[in-house]
Amino acid sequence: MAPNRSWKCAKCDKELVLKKMLFSYLGHTFSHEIMRCPTCGNGLIPKELAEGRMAEVEAQLEDK
Amino acid sequence: MTVTPEERNMEKENRLSSREQVRKTLSVCPVCLKQLPAEIVRTGSDCFLEKKCPEHGHFSAVVWRGNTPSFEEWSGLPPLSGPPSPDCPHACGLCAHHLRQTCCILLEVTDRCNLNCPVCYAESGGKKDGDPTVSALHEQFKKFVRDGNTFVHLSGGEPTVRDDLPEIVAAAKEAGCENIQLNTNGLRLGEERAFTKALADAGLSFVFLQFDGTEDAIYEKIRGKALLEKKKAAIAACSENLLGVTLVPTVIPGVNDHDIGGIIRFGLEGSPDIRGVHFQPVSYFGRYPKPPDDSDRITLPEVLRAIEAQTEGLVEVADFAPSCCDHPRCTFHGDFVVLPDALIKLTKPSETSTCCCDDTAHLKNRNFVSRRWKRTAESTEYEPGADYQDMDTFLKRVRTHGFTITAMAFQDAYTLDLERLRRCSLHVSRDGRTIPFCACYLSPA
Protein backbone atom coordinates (compact mmCIF):
# COMPACT_ATOMS: atom_id res chain seq x y z
CA MET A 1 0.00 0.00 0.00
CA ALA A 2 1.35 3.38 -0.93
CA PRO A 3 2.44 5.37 2.12
CA ASN A 4 0.70 8.62 3.04
CA ARG A 5 -2.14 7.85 0.69
CA SER A 6 -5.59 8.58 2.09
CA TRP A 7 -8.39 6.09 1.61
CA LYS A 8 -12.13 6.48 1.86
CA CYS A 9 -14.74 3.91 2.74
CA ALA A 10 -16.76 3.11 -0.41
CA LYS A 11 -19.86 2.51 1.67
CA CYS A 12 -19.75 5.45 4.12
CA ASP A 13 -17.56 7.93 2.20
CA LYS A 14 -15.53 8.53 5.37
CA GLU A 15 -11.76 8.78 5.42
CA LEU A 16 -10.14 5.70 6.94
CA VAL A 17 -8.28 6.02 10.23
CA LEU A 18 -5.66 3.85 11.89
CA LYS A 19 -7.43 1.62 14.40
CA LYS A 20 -7.00 -1.74 16.06
CA MET A 21 -8.80 -4.68 14.42
CA LEU A 22 -9.28 -8.24 15.68
CA PHE A 23 -8.48 -11.21 13.45
CA SER A 24 -9.47 -14.80 14.20
CA TYR A 25 -7.87 -17.94 12.83
CA LEU A 26 -8.25 -21.52 14.02
CA GLY A 27 -9.91 -20.36 17.22
CA HIS A 28 -7.24 -17.80 18.15
CA THR A 29 -7.75 -14.05 18.06
CA PHE A 30 -5.08 -11.45 17.32
CA SER A 31 -5.10 -7.70 17.04
CA HIS A 32 -3.35 -5.33 14.67
CA GLU A 33 -3.70 -1.67 13.73
CA ILE A 34 -4.96 -1.16 10.21
CA MET A 35 -6.85 1.53 8.27
CA ARG A 36 -10.55 1.31 9.16
CA CYS A 37 -13.74 3.22 8.49
CA PRO A 38 -14.68 5.18 11.65
CA THR A 39 -18.37 4.63 10.88
CA CYS A 40 -18.88 1.02 9.73
CA GLY A 41 -15.59 -0.44 10.94
CA ASN A 42 -14.64 -2.09 7.66
CA GLY A 43 -10.90 -2.38 7.29
CA LEU A 44 -8.35 -2.28 4.53
CA ILE A 45 -5.85 -5.11 4.70
CA PRO A 46 -2.74 -4.21 2.75
CA LYS A 47 -1.06 -6.87 0.63
CA GLU A 48 2.13 -6.70 2.71
CA LEU A 49 0.20 -7.51 5.87
CA ALA A 50 -1.76 -10.36 4.25
CA GLU A 51 1.31 -11.93 2.72
CA GLY A 52 3.60 -11.10 5.62
CA ARG A 53 2.57 -11.20 9.24
CA MET A 54 -0.91 -12.63 8.72
CA ALA A 55 0.51 -15.45 6.64
CA GLU A 56 3.13 -16.09 9.31
CA VAL A 57 0.49 -16.24 12.07
CA GLU A 58 -1.40 -18.78 9.95
CA ALA A 59 1.74 -20.83 9.47
CA GLN A 60 2.56 -20.73 13.19
CA LEU A 61 -0.92 -21.95 14.06
CA GLU A 62 -1.08 -24.64 11.41
CA ASP A 63 -1.09 -27.95 13.13
CA LYS A 64 0.80 -31.09 12.32
CA MET B 1 3.71 -52.54 41.22
CA THR B 2 3.87 -56.30 41.84
CA VAL B 3 0.98 -58.45 40.66
CA THR B 4 0.59 -61.84 42.30
CA PRO B 5 -0.29 -64.91 40.17
CA GLU B 6 -3.66 -65.11 41.93
CA GLU B 7 -4.44 -61.47 41.06
CA ARG B 8 -3.36 -62.09 37.49
CA ASN B 9 -5.65 -65.11 37.16
CA MET B 10 -8.55 -63.20 38.68
CA GLU B 11 -7.95 -60.32 36.26
CA LYS B 12 -7.89 -62.75 33.33
CA GLU B 13 -11.16 -64.39 34.43
CA ASN B 14 -12.84 -61.01 34.82
CA ARG B 15 -11.69 -60.00 31.39
CA LEU B 16 -12.93 -63.17 29.74
CA SER B 17 -16.36 -62.67 31.29
CA SER B 18 -16.78 -59.05 30.07
CA ARG B 19 -14.94 -58.94 26.73
CA GLU B 20 -16.23 -56.66 24.00
CA GLN B 21 -14.64 -56.72 20.57
CA VAL B 22 -13.72 -53.21 19.47
CA ARG B 23 -11.86 -53.81 16.24
CA LYS B 24 -10.38 -56.54 14.10
CA THR B 25 -6.85 -56.17 12.84
CA LEU B 26 -3.69 -58.13 12.10
CA SER B 27 -0.59 -58.62 14.20
CA VAL B 28 2.28 -61.10 14.55
CA CYS B 29 3.12 -63.94 16.89
CA PRO B 30 5.65 -62.55 19.40
CA VAL B 31 7.60 -65.83 19.21
CA CYS B 32 7.75 -66.73 15.49
CA LEU B 33 6.67 -63.30 14.14
CA LYS B 34 4.24 -64.90 11.67
CA GLN B 35 1.33 -62.66 10.61
CA LEU B 36 -1.83 -63.47 12.61
CA PRO B 37 -5.42 -62.22 12.79
CA ALA B 38 -5.86 -60.18 15.95
CA GLU B 39 -8.56 -58.27 17.69
CA ILE B 40 -8.74 -55.35 20.04
CA VAL B 41 -11.05 -56.15 22.92
CA ARG B 42 -12.26 -53.98 25.73
CA THR B 43 -12.64 -55.03 29.31
CA GLY B 44 -13.99 -52.28 31.52
CA SER B 45 -12.24 -49.15 30.30
CA ASP B 46 -9.06 -50.86 29.04
CA CYS B 47 -8.32 -52.23 25.57
CA PHE B 48 -6.10 -55.21 24.78
CA LEU B 49 -4.61 -56.57 21.57
CA GLU B 50 -5.24 -60.31 21.49
CA LYS B 51 -4.13 -63.01 19.06
CA LYS B 52 -3.55 -66.73 18.90
CA CYS B 53 -0.69 -68.46 17.14
CA PRO B 54 -1.47 -72.08 16.22
CA GLU B 55 2.02 -73.03 17.31
CA HIS B 56 2.80 -70.70 20.24
CA GLY B 57 -0.57 -70.01 21.84
CA HIS B 58 -2.61 -67.02 22.98
CA PHE B 59 -1.13 -63.57 23.57
CA SER B 60 -2.65 -60.43 25.04
CA ALA B 61 -1.17 -57.00 25.70
CA VAL B 62 -2.75 -53.81 26.96
CA VAL B 63 -2.82 -51.04 24.33
CA TRP B 64 -5.15 -48.41 25.81
CA ARG B 65 -6.08 -47.74 29.43
CA GLY B 66 -9.00 -45.58 30.49
CA ASN B 67 -11.59 -43.37 28.85
CA THR B 68 -9.89 -39.99 29.08
CA PRO B 69 -9.59 -39.83 26.17
CA SER B 70 -11.48 -42.91 25.06
CA PHE B 71 -10.13 -45.28 22.44
CA GLU B 72 -12.86 -44.33 19.95
CA GLU B 73 -12.80 -40.60 20.70
CA TRP B 74 -9.05 -40.43 20.08
CA SER B 75 -8.63 -42.63 17.04
CA GLY B 76 -11.95 -41.93 15.35
CA LEU B 77 -11.93 -45.52 14.09
CA PRO B 78 -11.42 -44.77 10.40
CA PRO B 79 -12.51 -47.57 8.06
CA LEU B 80 -9.86 -50.15 7.33
CA SER B 81 -8.12 -49.59 4.03
CA GLY B 82 -8.14 -53.11 2.66
CA PRO B 83 -5.74 -55.83 3.67
CA PRO B 84 -2.01 -55.25 3.98
CA SER B 85 0.50 -57.25 2.05
CA PRO B 86 0.23 -60.97 3.00
CA ASP B 87 3.86 -60.94 4.08
CA CYS B 88 3.61 -57.67 6.06
CA PRO B 89 5.78 -56.72 7.89
CA HIS B 90 8.46 -59.22 6.88
CA ALA B 91 8.97 -58.09 3.29
CA CYS B 92 9.29 -54.44 4.33
CA GLY B 93 10.51 -51.84 2.59
CA LEU B 94 7.57 -49.72 1.88
CA CYS B 95 5.12 -51.32 -0.52
CA ALA B 96 1.99 -50.25 -2.39
CA HIS B 97 -0.07 -51.19 0.69
CA HIS B 98 1.66 -48.64 2.92
CA LEU B 99 -0.52 -45.59 3.56
CA ARG B 100 1.95 -42.86 4.50
CA GLN B 101 4.93 -41.28 2.85
CA THR B 102 8.18 -40.68 4.69
CA CYS B 103 8.14 -37.74 7.07
CA CYS B 104 11.51 -38.41 8.69
CA ILE B 105 14.13 -40.92 7.68
CA LEU B 106 16.42 -42.42 10.28
CA LEU B 107 19.93 -43.50 9.45
CA GLU B 108 22.13 -45.50 11.81
CA VAL B 109 25.63 -44.04 11.48
CA THR B 110 27.13 -46.51 13.94
CA ASP B 111 26.20 -49.50 16.03
CA ARG B 112 28.59 -48.51 18.82
CA CYS B 113 27.45 -46.85 22.02
CA ASN B 114 29.07 -45.30 25.09
CA LEU B 115 26.30 -46.62 27.36
CA ASN B 116 25.03 -50.15 27.87
CA CYS B 117 21.40 -49.68 28.78
CA PRO B 118 19.33 -52.69 29.88
CA VAL B 119 16.56 -51.45 27.54
CA CYS B 120 17.67 -50.56 24.00
CA TYR B 121 15.54 -50.93 20.88
CA ALA B 122 18.64 -50.94 18.69
CA GLU B 123 20.52 -53.48 20.80
CA SER B 124 23.54 -51.20 20.50
CA GLY B 125 26.90 -52.36 21.64
CA GLY B 126 29.35 -52.77 18.82
CA LYS B 127 28.56 -56.27 17.70
CA LYS B 128 28.38 -55.63 13.98
CA ASP B 129 30.65 -54.55 11.15
CA GLY B 130 32.54 -51.26 11.09
CA ASP B 131 30.84 -47.89 10.72
CA PRO B 132 29.77 -46.76 7.24
CA THR B 133 32.19 -44.26 5.68
CA VAL B 134 31.33 -40.59 5.30
CA SER B 135 31.34 -40.96 1.51
CA ALA B 136 28.95 -43.93 1.68
CA LEU B 137 26.65 -41.91 3.94
CA HIS B 138 26.92 -38.95 1.57
CA GLU B 139 25.61 -41.15 -1.25
CA GLN B 140 22.70 -42.17 0.96
CA PHE B 141 21.90 -38.56 1.82
CA LYS B 142 21.88 -37.70 -1.90
CA LYS B 143 19.45 -40.53 -2.53
CA PHE B 144 17.21 -39.35 0.34
CA VAL B 145 17.06 -35.87 -1.17
CA ARG B 146 16.36 -37.26 -4.67
CA ASP B 147 13.41 -39.13 -3.13
CA GLY B 148 12.17 -35.96 -1.40
CA ASN B 149 13.30 -37.09 2.05
CA THR B 150 14.99 -33.99 3.40
CA PHE B 151 14.40 -34.58 7.14
CA VAL B 152 17.03 -36.98 8.41
CA HIS B 153 17.66 -38.42 11.88
CA LEU B 154 21.26 -39.36 12.59
CA SER B 155 20.95 -42.27 14.96
CA GLY B 156 22.70 -45.41 16.10
CA GLY B 157 24.00 -46.77 18.36
CA GLU B 158 25.20 -43.47 19.75
CA PRO B 159 26.19 -41.24 16.82
CA THR B 160 28.53 -39.04 18.87
CA VAL B 161 31.01 -41.88 19.36
CA ARG B 162 32.10 -41.07 15.81
CA ASP B 163 34.82 -38.42 15.72
CA ASP B 164 33.84 -37.65 12.13
CA LEU B 165 30.20 -36.89 13.00
CA PRO B 166 30.64 -33.19 12.02
CA GLU B 167 31.76 -34.39 8.57
CA ILE B 168 28.66 -36.57 8.37
CA VAL B 169 26.46 -33.60 9.24
CA ALA B 170 28.26 -31.51 6.60
CA ALA B 171 27.72 -34.29 4.06
CA ALA B 172 23.99 -34.33 4.81
CA LYS B 173 23.87 -30.57 4.49
CA GLU B 174 25.81 -30.62 1.23
CA ALA B 175 23.46 -33.26 -0.17
CA GLY B 176 20.52 -30.94 0.46
CA CYS B 177 19.00 -32.26 3.70
CA GLU B 178 16.99 -29.39 5.17
CA ASN B 179 16.57 -30.77 8.69
CA ILE B 180 19.34 -32.77 10.32
CA GLN B 181 18.41 -34.15 13.71
CA LEU B 182 20.85 -35.83 16.07
CA ASN B 183 19.44 -38.60 18.29
CA THR B 184 21.85 -38.78 21.21
CA ASN B 185 22.38 -39.50 24.87
CA GLY B 186 24.26 -36.18 24.96
CA LEU B 187 27.24 -37.33 27.03
CA ARG B 188 29.87 -36.18 24.56
CA LEU B 189 28.02 -32.95 23.74
CA GLY B 190 28.48 -31.79 27.32
CA GLU B 191 31.99 -33.13 27.76
CA GLU B 192 33.50 -31.77 24.54
CA ARG B 193 32.13 -28.33 23.78
CA ALA B 194 34.36 -27.99 20.70
CA PHE B 195 32.75 -31.14 19.27
CA THR B 196 29.27 -29.66 19.83
CA LYS B 197 30.36 -26.42 18.18
CA ALA B 198 31.72 -28.36 15.21
CA LEU B 199 28.36 -30.10 14.79
CA ALA B 200 26.52 -26.78 14.87
CA ASP B 201 29.00 -25.21 12.44
CA ALA B 202 28.55 -28.17 10.09
CA GLY B 203 24.81 -27.49 9.89
CA LEU B 204 23.15 -29.64 12.54
CA SER B 205 19.54 -28.47 12.95
CA PHE B 206 18.56 -29.75 16.40
CA VAL B 207 19.16 -32.37 19.04
CA PHE B 208 16.87 -35.14 20.29
CA LEU B 209 18.30 -35.70 23.77
CA GLN B 210 17.66 -38.92 25.67
CA PHE B 211 16.37 -37.48 28.96
CA ASP B 212 14.57 -39.92 31.23
CA GLY B 213 13.93 -37.72 34.23
CA THR B 214 14.98 -35.05 36.66
CA GLU B 215 16.37 -37.47 39.29
CA ASP B 216 19.60 -39.42 39.17
CA ALA B 217 17.84 -42.49 40.61
CA ILE B 218 15.95 -42.76 37.32
CA TYR B 219 19.12 -42.82 35.25
CA GLU B 220 20.68 -45.34 37.58
CA LYS B 221 17.75 -47.67 36.93
CA ILE B 222 17.38 -47.16 33.18
CA ARG B 223 20.93 -46.34 32.08
CA GLY B 224 22.99 -47.90 34.83
CA LYS B 225 24.54 -44.66 36.13
CA ALA B 226 23.75 -41.15 37.39
CA LEU B 227 23.56 -38.88 34.37
CA LEU B 228 21.50 -35.82 35.26
CA GLU B 229 24.47 -33.43 35.45
CA LYS B 230 25.74 -34.73 32.11
CA LYS B 231 22.34 -34.06 30.57
CA LYS B 232 22.40 -30.51 31.91
CA ALA B 233 25.89 -30.04 30.51
CA ALA B 234 24.69 -31.24 27.10
CA ILE B 235 21.82 -28.76 27.15
CA ALA B 236 24.20 -25.95 28.08
CA ALA B 237 26.57 -26.88 25.25
CA CYS B 238 23.71 -26.90 22.77
CA SER B 239 22.51 -23.55 24.06
CA GLU B 240 25.94 -22.00 23.46
CA ASN B 241 25.65 -23.05 19.83
CA LEU B 242 21.94 -22.23 19.31
CA LEU B 243 21.10 -25.89 18.85
CA GLY B 244 17.52 -26.53 19.94
CA VAL B 245 17.09 -29.46 22.32
CA THR B 246 14.04 -31.69 22.60
CA LEU B 247 13.97 -33.89 25.70
CA VAL B 248 13.16 -37.53 24.95
CA PRO B 249 12.14 -39.62 27.97
CA THR B 250 11.54 -43.34 27.70
CA VAL B 251 8.62 -43.71 30.12
CA ILE B 252 8.70 -46.87 32.20
CA PRO B 253 6.02 -47.67 34.80
CA GLY B 254 7.36 -47.59 38.32
CA VAL B 255 10.64 -46.04 37.21
CA ASN B 256 9.94 -42.55 35.91
CA ASP B 257 6.19 -42.26 35.28
CA HIS B 258 5.97 -40.22 38.50
CA ASP B 259 8.34 -37.65 36.96
CA ILE B 260 6.35 -36.85 33.79
CA GLY B 261 5.29 -33.49 35.21
CA GLY B 262 8.80 -32.85 36.53
CA ILE B 263 10.26 -33.39 33.07
CA ILE B 264 7.76 -30.96 31.54
CA ARG B 265 8.50 -28.33 34.17
CA PHE B 266 12.24 -28.80 33.60
CA GLY B 267 11.63 -28.34 29.87
CA LEU B 268 9.51 -25.23 30.28
CA GLU B 269 12.07 -23.67 32.62
CA GLY B 270 14.72 -24.41 29.98
CA SER B 271 12.82 -22.66 27.18
CA PRO B 272 14.00 -21.43 24.68
CA ASP B 273 17.08 -23.71 24.84
CA ILE B 274 14.70 -26.63 25.31
CA ARG B 275 12.17 -26.77 22.51
CA GLY B 276 9.91 -29.51 23.77
CA VAL B 277 9.46 -32.91 25.36
CA HIS B 278 8.88 -36.06 23.31
CA PHE B 279 7.64 -38.96 25.44
CA GLN B 280 8.27 -42.51 24.32
CA PRO B 281 6.33 -45.07 26.41
CA VAL B 282 8.62 -48.06 26.81
CA SER B 283 8.27 -50.79 24.19
CA TYR B 284 9.88 -54.17 24.25
CA PHE B 285 12.07 -54.82 21.26
CA GLY B 286 15.79 -55.19 20.84
CA ARG B 287 17.28 -55.56 24.31
CA TYR B 288 15.10 -55.73 27.43
CA PRO B 289 15.46 -57.65 30.68
CA LYS B 290 12.37 -59.92 30.63
CA PRO B 291 9.15 -60.52 28.70
CA PRO B 292 6.77 -57.73 29.64
CA ASP B 293 3.61 -58.00 31.75
CA ASP B 294 0.86 -55.46 31.24
CA SER B 295 2.09 -53.81 34.45
CA ASP B 296 5.32 -53.04 32.55
CA ARG B 297 3.45 -50.94 30.02
CA ILE B 298 2.13 -47.37 30.03
CA THR B 299 -0.27 -46.35 27.27
CA LEU B 300 -0.72 -42.98 25.56
CA PRO B 301 -3.88 -41.95 27.46
CA GLU B 302 -2.11 -42.71 30.74
CA VAL B 303 0.74 -40.41 29.75
CA LEU B 304 -1.79 -37.71 28.85
CA ARG B 305 -3.56 -38.03 32.19
CA ALA B 306 -0.25 -38.05 34.06
CA ILE B 307 0.73 -34.82 32.29
CA GLU B 308 -2.45 -33.14 33.49
CA ALA B 309 -2.23 -34.51 37.04
CA GLN B 310 1.50 -33.93 37.55
CA THR B 311 1.52 -30.40 36.11
CA GLU B 312 -1.50 -29.63 38.31
CA GLY B 313 -3.54 -28.68 35.27
CA LEU B 314 -0.99 -26.29 33.75
CA VAL B 315 -1.17 -28.65 30.77
CA GLU B 316 -4.41 -30.59 30.27
CA VAL B 317 -5.51 -33.63 28.28
CA ALA B 318 -7.64 -31.30 26.15
CA ASP B 319 -4.48 -29.47 24.99
CA PHE B 320 -3.48 -32.44 22.83
CA ALA B 321 -4.47 -33.97 19.52
CA PRO B 322 -3.36 -37.01 17.53
CA SER B 323 -1.11 -36.46 14.54
CA CYS B 324 -2.38 -36.81 10.99
CA CYS B 325 1.04 -37.89 9.88
CA ASP B 326 0.86 -41.27 11.63
CA HIS B 327 -1.90 -43.45 13.01
CA PRO B 328 -3.75 -41.55 15.77
CA ARG B 329 -3.05 -44.32 18.28
CA CYS B 330 0.70 -43.88 17.75
CA THR B 331 1.08 -40.25 18.75
CA PHE B 332 -0.10 -37.14 20.49
CA HIS B 333 1.07 -33.58 20.27
CA GLY B 334 0.39 -30.26 21.94
CA ASP B 335 1.73 -26.92 20.76
CA PHE B 336 2.45 -24.11 23.19
CA VAL B 337 4.13 -20.74 23.62
CA VAL B 338 6.04 -20.30 26.86
CA LEU B 339 5.58 -17.12 28.89
CA PRO B 340 7.40 -16.66 32.20
CA ASP B 341 4.27 -17.37 34.24
CA ALA B 342 1.87 -19.02 31.79
CA LEU B 343 1.44 -20.96 28.57
CA ILE B 344 -0.38 -19.95 25.42
CA LYS B 345 -2.05 -23.11 24.16
CA LEU B 346 -2.20 -23.39 20.39
CA THR B 347 -3.60 -26.89 19.83
CA LYS B 348 -7.36 -26.73 19.97
CA PRO B 349 -9.35 -29.57 21.58
CA SER B 350 -11.78 -29.54 18.66
CA GLU B 351 -9.00 -30.98 16.53
CA THR B 352 -8.90 -34.13 18.60
CA SER B 353 -11.57 -36.01 16.72
CA THR B 354 -10.87 -34.62 13.28
CA CYS B 355 -8.29 -35.79 10.84
CA CYS B 356 -6.83 -33.97 7.90
CA CYS B 357 -5.01 -37.01 6.58
CA ASP B 358 -3.98 -36.64 2.99
CA ASP B 359 -0.84 -37.21 1.00
CA THR B 360 0.73 -33.99 2.30
CA ALA B 361 0.44 -34.93 5.99
CA HIS B 362 4.14 -35.82 6.12
CA LEU B 363 5.09 -32.41 4.73
CA LYS B 364 2.88 -30.58 7.25
CA ASN B 365 4.45 -32.56 10.05
CA ARG B 366 7.97 -31.80 8.84
CA ASN B 367 7.20 -28.09 8.73
CA PHE B 368 5.62 -28.17 12.16
CA VAL B 369 8.45 -29.89 13.97
CA SER B 370 11.27 -28.09 12.22
CA ARG B 371 9.62 -24.74 12.99
CA ARG B 372 9.31 -25.60 16.66
CA TRP B 373 12.49 -27.57 17.31
CA LYS B 374 14.94 -25.12 15.75
CA ARG B 375 16.30 -22.33 17.87
CA THR B 376 16.43 -18.87 16.38
CA ALA B 377 19.02 -16.19 16.94
CA GLU B 378 16.33 -13.63 17.76
CA SER B 379 16.38 -11.81 21.09
CA THR B 380 14.52 -13.71 23.76
CA GLU B 381 14.00 -10.75 26.04
CA TYR B 382 10.68 -10.77 27.87
CA GLU B 383 8.63 -7.61 28.06
CA PRO B 384 6.53 -7.61 31.24
CA GLY B 385 2.92 -6.69 30.59
CA ALA B 386 3.22 -7.38 26.86
CA ASP B 387 -0.07 -7.95 25.02
CA TYR B 388 0.21 -11.37 23.36
CA GLN B 389 -2.99 -10.80 21.44
CA ASP B 390 -1.07 -8.23 19.45
CA MET B 391 0.05 -9.90 16.24
CA ASP B 392 3.62 -8.61 16.28
CA THR B 393 4.15 -9.43 19.95
CA PHE B 394 2.73 -12.93 19.48
CA LEU B 395 4.88 -13.61 16.43
CA LYS B 396 8.05 -12.51 18.18
CA ARG B 397 7.33 -14.78 21.14
CA VAL B 398 6.18 -17.84 19.18
CA ARG B 399 9.33 -17.74 17.03
CA THR B 400 11.56 -17.85 20.08
CA HIS B 401 9.50 -19.69 22.70
CA GLY B 402 7.39 -22.21 20.83
CA PHE B 403 7.29 -25.46 22.81
CA THR B 404 5.90 -28.87 21.88
CA ILE B 405 4.86 -31.77 24.07
CA THR B 406 4.62 -34.86 21.90
CA ALA B 407 4.70 -38.62 22.20
CA MET B 408 5.21 -41.65 20.06
CA ALA B 409 4.10 -45.10 21.18
CA PHE B 410 6.32 -47.61 19.44
CA GLN B 411 4.95 -51.09 18.86
CA ASP B 412 6.72 -54.31 19.75
CA ALA B 413 5.95 -57.90 18.80
CA TYR B 414 3.28 -58.09 21.51
CA THR B 415 1.46 -54.87 20.62
CA LEU B 416 2.08 -54.64 16.86
CA ASP B 417 -1.11 -53.67 15.02
CA LEU B 418 -0.63 -53.69 11.26
CA GLU B 419 -3.37 -51.08 10.86
CA ARG B 420 -1.14 -48.71 12.80
CA LEU B 421 2.06 -49.82 11.14
CA ARG B 422 0.69 -49.04 7.68
CA ARG B 423 0.21 -45.42 8.70
CA CYS B 424 3.75 -44.97 9.99
CA SER B 425 5.74 -42.05 8.57
CA LEU B 426 8.94 -42.51 10.60
CA HIS B 427 11.11 -44.74 8.48
CA VAL B 428 14.52 -46.31 8.83
CA SER B 429 16.94 -46.59 5.93
CA ARG B 430 18.62 -49.97 6.09
CA ASP B 431 20.25 -52.17 3.44
CA GLY B 432 18.87 -49.95 0.69
CA ARG B 433 15.32 -50.33 1.96
CA THR B 434 13.01 -47.82 3.64
CA ILE B 435 11.28 -49.54 6.54
CA PRO B 436 8.69 -48.26 9.06
CA PHE B 437 10.41 -47.87 12.42
CA CYS B 438 8.50 -50.55 14.32
CA ALA B 439 8.88 -53.06 11.50
CA CYS B 440 12.61 -52.39 11.31
CA TYR B 441 13.25 -53.03 15.01
CA LEU B 442 10.68 -55.78 15.44
CA SER B 443 12.27 -58.63 17.35
CA PRO B 444 10.94 -61.94 18.69
CA ALA B 445 10.36 -62.60 22.38
Side-chain angles (χ1 to χ4, degrees):
Chain A
M1 192 168 71
N4 304 322
R5 182 172 173 182
S6 66
W7 290 83
K8 276 190 174 176
C9 175
K11 194 166 75 175
C12 310
D13 199 34
K14 292 278 176 64
E15 197 156 305
L16 304 192
V17 295
L18 199 60
K19 197 175 174 188
K20 189 187 277 191
M21 190 164 201
L22 297 179
F23 301 88
S24 289
Y25 185 67
L26 293 176
H28 298 275
T29 302
F30 298 95
S31 65
H32 195 70
E33 282 199 333
I34 61 166
M35 300 301 287
R36 298 183 66 184
C37 172
T39 304
C40 70
N42 279 351
L44 176 71
I45 297 174
K47 189 166 180 274
E48 316 82 83
L49 179 62
E51 294 180 350
R53 278 167 288 189
M54 287 174 77
E56 190 184 347
V57 167
E58 283 181 23
Q60 289 287 359
L61 296 177
E62 296 259 323
D63 211 31
K64 53 189 286 181
Chain B
M1 186 176 69
T2 308
V3 181
T4 67
E6 291 77 21
E7 285 172 325
R8 198 171 295 138
N9 285 338
M10 195 179 296
E11 187 192 325
K12 196 178 273 182
E13 278 173 27
N14 287 340
R15 278 171 46 192
L16 287 172
S17 64
S18 65
R19 296 170 86 244
E20 172 205 354
Q21 187 190 88
V22 178
R23 201 156 173 85
K24 286 187 172 178
T25 186
L26 293 165
S27 183
V28 295
C29 169
V31 180
C32 63
L33 298 183
K34 281 183 188 154
Q35 191 188 95
L36 293 175
E39 55 182 0
I40 294 171
V41 297
R42 178 186 285 110
T43 300
S45 58
D46 299 344
C47 293
F48 301 83
L49 184 80
E50 300 196 339
K51 53 204 172 182
K52 189 173 181 184
C53 173
E55 195 176 342
H56 298 105
H58 179 265
F59 296 92
S60 170
V62 68
V63 290
W64 197 269
R65 283 195 183 102
N67 281 321
T68 309
S70 75
F71 183 92
E72 288 86 350
E73 176 192 4
W74 187 259
S75 54
L77 295 186
L80 295 172
S81 308
S85 162
D87 48 7
C88 181
H90 306 297
C92 231
L94 299 184
C95 68
H97 298 269
H98 199 74
L99 300 172
R100 287 288 180 277
Q101 298 185 55
T102 305
C103 174
C104 305
I105 192 147
L106 184 148
L107 186 61
E108 297 156 323
V109 300
T110 183
D111 182 55
R112 294 178 289 135
C113 188
N114 49 4
L115 286 174
N116 184 23
C117 307
V119 174
C120 177
Y121 67 78
E123 279 190 279
S124 299
K127 63 189 181 303
K128 295 183 193 156
D129 302 336
D131 298 335
T133 63
V134 175
S135 66
L137 292 169
H138 188 219
E139 290 305 312
Q140 294 211 50
F141 294 134
K142 287 198 284 191
K143 181 177 183 310
F144 293 167
V145 172
R146 278 199 301 275
D147 294 343
N149 295 325
T150 55
F151 195 135
V152 63
H153 293 197
L154 303 179
S155 193
E158 169 52 46
T160 61
V161 300
R162 286 191 68 157
D163 293 335
D164 57 0
L165 189 61
E167 292 167 48
I168 294 171
V169 172
K173 191 83 182 167
E174 195 283 330
C177 293
E178 292 169 6
N179 293 290
I180 305 165
Q181 172 181 307
L182 175 63
N183 297 347
T184 178
N185 61 33
L187 303 190
R188 189 170 182 187
L189 299 185
E191 286 163 2
E192 293 181 42
R193 301 289 176 103
F195 184 72
T196 310
K197 182 176 186 311
L199 291 171
D201 291 346
L204 187 66
S205 306
F206 32 75
V207 170
F208 237 41
L209 178 68
Q210 177 197 82
F211 188 93
D212 301 311
T214 61
E215 305 159 6
D216 266 329
I218 292 170
Y219 293 98
E220 284 162 8
K221 277 187 191 161
I222 303 183
R223 310 293 170 194
K225 55 175 89 166
L227 294 175
L228 185 57
E229 289 309 311
K230 290 184 184 293
K231 302 292 177 181
K232 289 179 179 174
I235 294 165
C238 289
S239 173
E240 284 170 8
N241 293 286
L242 283 181
L243 284 172
V245 175
T246 295
L247 308 179
V248 186
T250 301
V251 185
I252 305 179
V255 176
N256 61 349
D257 54 342
H258 65 282
D259 198 29
I260 286 172
I263 294 167
I264 289 175
R265 275 191 293 274
F266 181 92
L268 292 172
E269 284 162 14
S271 171
D273 299 333
I274 298 174
R275 312 298 304 164
V277 181
H278 183 75
F279 291 103
Q280 295 180 340
V282 64
S283 50
Y284 294 90
F285 42 19
R287 183 168 62 227
Y288 53 90
K290 67 176 181 62
D293 287 327
D294 281 342
S295 60
D296 297 317
R297 296 187 183 276
I298 182 166
T299 62
L300 280 188
E302 291 171 278
V303 178
L304 284 169
R305 294 194 298 272
I307 288 172
E308 179 168 314
Q310 294 178 24
T311 62
E312 294 165 333
L314 175 67
V315 186
E316 300 167 287
V317 174
D319 299 332
F320 294 91
S323 164
C324 292
C325 191
D326 298 285
H327 192 282
R329 276 184 272 128
C330 292
T331 64
F332 67 67
H333 72 279
D335 193 18
F336 306 89
V337 183
V338 182
L339 307 181
D341 50 1
L343 285 177
I344 302 174
K345 300 176 175 185
L346 301 181
T347 305
K348 289 293 179 184
S350 59
E351 293 159 14
T352 305
S353 58
T354 63
C355 189
C356 54
C357 305
D358 55 36
D359 58 4
T360 63
H362 64 296
L363 299 177
K364 283 182 76 174
N365 194 52
R366 259 187 227 170
N367 288 338
F368 174 84
V369 295
S370 68
R371 189 167 60 230
R372 286 290 176 268
W373 292 350
K374 269 183 193 152
R375 272 212 65 181
T376 71
E378 290 182 62
S379 162
T380 57
E381 204 171 304
Y382 177 65
E383 299 164 25
D387 173 15
Y388 286 97
Q389 197 180 53
D390 176 76
M391 202 181 283
D392 290 333
T393 310
F394 169 78
L395 279 176
K396 189 162 175 261
R397 190 73 184 178
V398 74
R399 286 186 208 121
T400 57
H401 287 77
F403 192 92
T404 61
I405 302 175
T406 52
M408 181 161 280
F410 293 125
Q411 306 182 86
D412 53 45
Y414 301 90
T415 56
L416 184 69
D417 178 342
L418 295 189
E419 181 189 356
R420 287 173 56 189
L421 185 72
R422 291 173 69 195
R423 286 173 171 76
C424 174
S425 70
L426 172 59
H427 301 153
V428 181
S429 176
R430 183 180 280 182
D431 304 330
R433 295 179 297 154
T434 303
I435 310 172
F437 186 94
C438 295
C440 186
Y441 293 108
L442 188 68
S443 57

